[in-house]
Amino acid sequence: MHRSVRPADVVTTAAAVAGLLLLTGCTGGDPSAVSAPAATSTANPEVDPAAAVARAGREPYAVSVRSTAESGGEVFMNITARQNFNTLFTGRQERSAGSSTREVVITADAEYHRVGGPTGSWTRMSLPLVHASEFDLTGYARVLLSLGPEARKGVETRDGVLVHHLAGHLDLDRLGQVSARARADVESEDATGIDLDQWVDVEGRTRYAEKRWTADGSALLVTMAFSDYGPPEVFDSPVPAGA
């Protein structure tokens, strides 16, 4: 299905991608979310994906994300982001749809949006009641591993990094094991589940992911690439004090 995006549609499209197309994970206070405590394993995380996932810690970190959303094989949204994980969700994003771009800065107490690049003005918004990163894949790898040996697709090297490729179909019950929100997002589109490919490194951190599902007869695909892991960062208001 071809989707054209008009400048006035950027807000609507971005919200749809954040809320539905990019299925939200566990950050932001979902009480049913799968926790990810650090675990000790005698297995070798370089050859055993379960050992790699068990190594995933809960220390705060910052990471860069590149994401695309496609419908019917056509990309209709590109997102680049730098965000904090395993701590209060803050960060910055740039969302491009067609010829329009929306910048988003999320601070500890507010969210700021700007359309039109440097010549545009920032609009301050209150944080939503449930504020979660659409890129948080916490819990998904463990649910994929629970599918059995068929979910283990082998060890690969991508961008010079050793990664475990996990893949499988997650129905509504499996999504509910990740979080109630992940299940609700899929159900809201009358979908019965998603196909997920996830690549995790030997520290259990997600490096790449692809999510596929069908909604309203359209084939949807979201890709994510994570890079530049580092210590958590402070994201300040883009509006000068007193402005």
Side-chain angles (χ1 to χ4, degrees), residues 16-235:
V17 171
L20 296 176
L21 298 185
L22 294 176
L23 305 176
T24 51
C26 311
T27 306
D30 188 336
S32 67
V34 177
S35 61
T40 302
S41 174
T42 58
N44 185 347
E46 293 190 359
V47 297
D48 183 357
V53 172
R55 289 186 65 177
R58 295 302 295 170
E59 298 81 9
Y61 65 89
V63 66
S64 296
V65 189
R66 301 188 317 275
S67 179
T68 63
E70 300 180 19
S71 176
E74 180 179 352
V75 175
F76 67 92
M77 176 74 72
N78 288 282
I79 302 175
T80 59
R82 181 73 177 171
Q83 298 182 345
N84 287 327
F85 281 66
N86 289 347
T87 185
L88 181 68
F89 170 46
T90 55
R92 62 177 181 270
Q93 302 178 3
E94 183 176 290
R95 300 170 176 263
S96 298
S99 60
S100 298
T101 298
R102 172 172 291 268
E103 298 168 84
V104 181
V105 176
I106 303 154
T107 68
D109 58 1
E111 187 170 306
Y112 299 83
H113 290 236
R114 180 170 71 176
V115 178
T119 60
S121 59
W122 288 98
T123 300
R124 185 183 189 277
M125 305 177 181
S126 300
L127 293 178
L129 182 62
V130 177
H131 197 225
S133 170
E134 63 229 68
F135 304 118
D136 189 353
L137 299 180
T138 302
Y140 281 93
R142 287 188 298 281
V143 176
L144 282 174
L145 286 167
S146 74
L147 297 176
E150 63 273 17
R152 305 183 181 206
K153 304 304 181 182
V155 178
E156 304 172 12
T157 300
R158 297 186 60 166
D159 297 331
V161 177
L162 189 72
V163 289
H164 295 279
H165 182 188
L166 306 174
H169 179 76
L170 303 182
D171 59 19
L172 294 178
D173 289 339
R174 295 285 185 181
L175 287 170
Q177 294 176 30
V178 177
S179 74
R181 187 185 179 100
R183 174 173 179 150
D185 284 340
V186 173
E187 283 187 299
S188 70
E189 293 192 328
D190 293 325
T192 59
I194 66 169
D195 293 315
L196 173 65
D197 285 75
Q198 186 173 0
W199 289 262
V200 298
D201 63 20
V202 296
E203 299 298 327
R205 302 173 302 190
T206 300
R207 290 283 181 164
Y208 306 93
E210 296 179 357
K211 295 180 179 182
R212 298 176 178 83
W213 71 105
T214 300
D216 297 326
S218 297
L220 301 173
L221 167 66
V222 169
T223 68
M224 305 178 198
F226 300 80
S227 62
D228 300 323
Y229 287 81
E233 301 173 8
V234 176
F235 296 92

